[in-house]
Amino acid sequence: MKFHQVKTLFWKKHFLSQFFRHAHKEHYIDKPVLYPLTSRKLINVKGNDASIYLQGLITNDMRHFEEGAKSVYAMFLNNKGRVLYDTLIHKWKDNDSFLIECDSSTISAMQKLLKMYKLKRQLEIKDVNEEIKLWVLISSTVPNMKEKNVHIYKDPRLVELGYRIISPLSLNESQLVDIFGSDLSISNSEDGYKYLRYKLGVGEGADDLPPATSFPLEANCDYLHGVSFHKGCYIGQELTARVHHTGVVRKRIMPLKFTKEIKDSIEKDTVVNSSENPKLNLGKLKGIVHNYGLGLMRIKEALDAKMLKVGDYEAEVLKPSWWPIEAPREINVKKEQN
């Protein structure tokens, strides 16, 4: 292949990747909205050994902070390689201080886990939720603010997920409007943020990712920049690396779009079937918000099905536009076998 052909192929691939990854206009809004993240809590881990300590516990690489990162997405796994907790880790005020974000229902279990592996390390592990509050800001523009007591972190997973905001607990809504501008809308709940996540196909927290039930690659941890395959050992690393390098990821969290808004409750983990073949099990439902849901789906089979059946409702599975353009490895393997 000639040089100009290689160059054309490279830039075409690069352009398409950037286009499909960042041109999701339907997820942006003109007016910034601030959602209170009551479903998430914060734990402060600080001390001289904080970075090395967390390096051995999470799927991502803490050295990203040395390269200038302010936040990283990661997961805590058990020794069998299954997801215990998903997290965003934020660089805090001091050099050796980090905020660990976790589901509010698992904060006690998370603290217990962190303290169990602390041993004799020089660390302080503290619940800081009586001092600071967590928000998510969805905005199509980068916030311009100068308030020192309010910290802003770009979500490291997807640009569509906006920014994490950490403010003093004492800060009221009118003060937040003064900081972010008069066009800011402050929501009373995080339902709008959850709806956005479900449209994008991003699982978060114990409801979407129940502890010890799924593997990190099934939860799209690799696609969301949450796992490093170049760092050293961490708990659950062996199976994760083996699946990535030699295995096949047949199931992943994917968005489901229902033909109408769901007003009745559908039991979690309801089996998702093919409308054409009701006996064909394509996955399990993990949650619903309005007309969108999340499911842990068999990728190829679900995408091949024209319509899905979830209880008494019909839906279609969507391949997220932020997934890599390259065909999933599991599809390539099947083609090679045929």
Side-chain angles (χ1 to χ4, degrees), residues 24-29 138 160 196 199-200 292 321-322:
H24 317 316
K25 298 293 185 182
E26 70 273 16
H27 299 303
Y28 283 97
I29 54 175
I138 304 300
E160 294 90 342
L196 173 62
K199 285 183 70 177
L200 290 166
Y292 276 88
S321 52
W322 48 268

Side-chain angles (χ1 to χ4, degrees), residues 41 46 94 100 113 115 127 129 132 156 166 169 177 185 274 279 287 290 293 320 326 337:
K41 297 295 183 183
K46 66 178 181 179
D94 303 321
I100 312 297
L113 176 76
K115 291 177 180 178
D127 182 336
N129 294 285
I132 52 181
I166 299 175
L169 197 62
V177 171
S185 174
S274 168
K279 294 183 179 180
H290 303 309
E326 291 78 16
Q337 293 174 348

Side-chain angles (χ1 to χ4, degrees), residues 45-46 49-62 65 75-76 89 97-100 114 121 123 231 233-234:
V45 176
K46 66 178 181 179
D49 298 330
S51 182
I52 297 174
Y53 162 69
L54 291 171
Q55 180 79 335
L57 296 180
I58 64 169
T59 56
N60 214 330
D61 196 332
M62 289 295 292
F65 289 107
M75 291 182 172
F76 290 83
I89 300 178
S97 183
F98 302 92
L99 291 178
I100 312 297
L114 292 172
R121 291 186 176 90
L123 293 173
K231 61 176 281 186
C233 295
Y234 58 89

Side-chain angles (χ1 to χ4, degrees), residues 160-177:
E160 294 90 342
L161 291 174
Y163 305 85
R164 288 303 207 251
I165 307 295
I166 299 175
S167 68
L169 197 62
S170 58
L171 209 64
N172 59 42
E173 292 189 4
S174 62
Q175 290 173 307
L176 287 169
V177 171

Side-chain angles (χ1 to χ4, degrees), residues 22-50:
H22 298 293
H24 317 316
K25 298 293 185 182
E26 70 273 16
H27 299 303
Y28 283 97
I29 54 175
D30 294 330
K31 188 176 181 180
V33 182
L34 192 64
Y35 297 99
L37 277 186
T38 55
S39 66
R40 308 288 281 178
K41 297 295 183 183
L42 295 165
I43 299 172
N44 183 213
V45 176
K46 66 178 181 179
N48 294 333
D49 298 330

Side-chain angles (χ1 to χ4, degrees), residues 105 142 149 225:
S105 66
V142 180
N149 291 329
H225 320 296

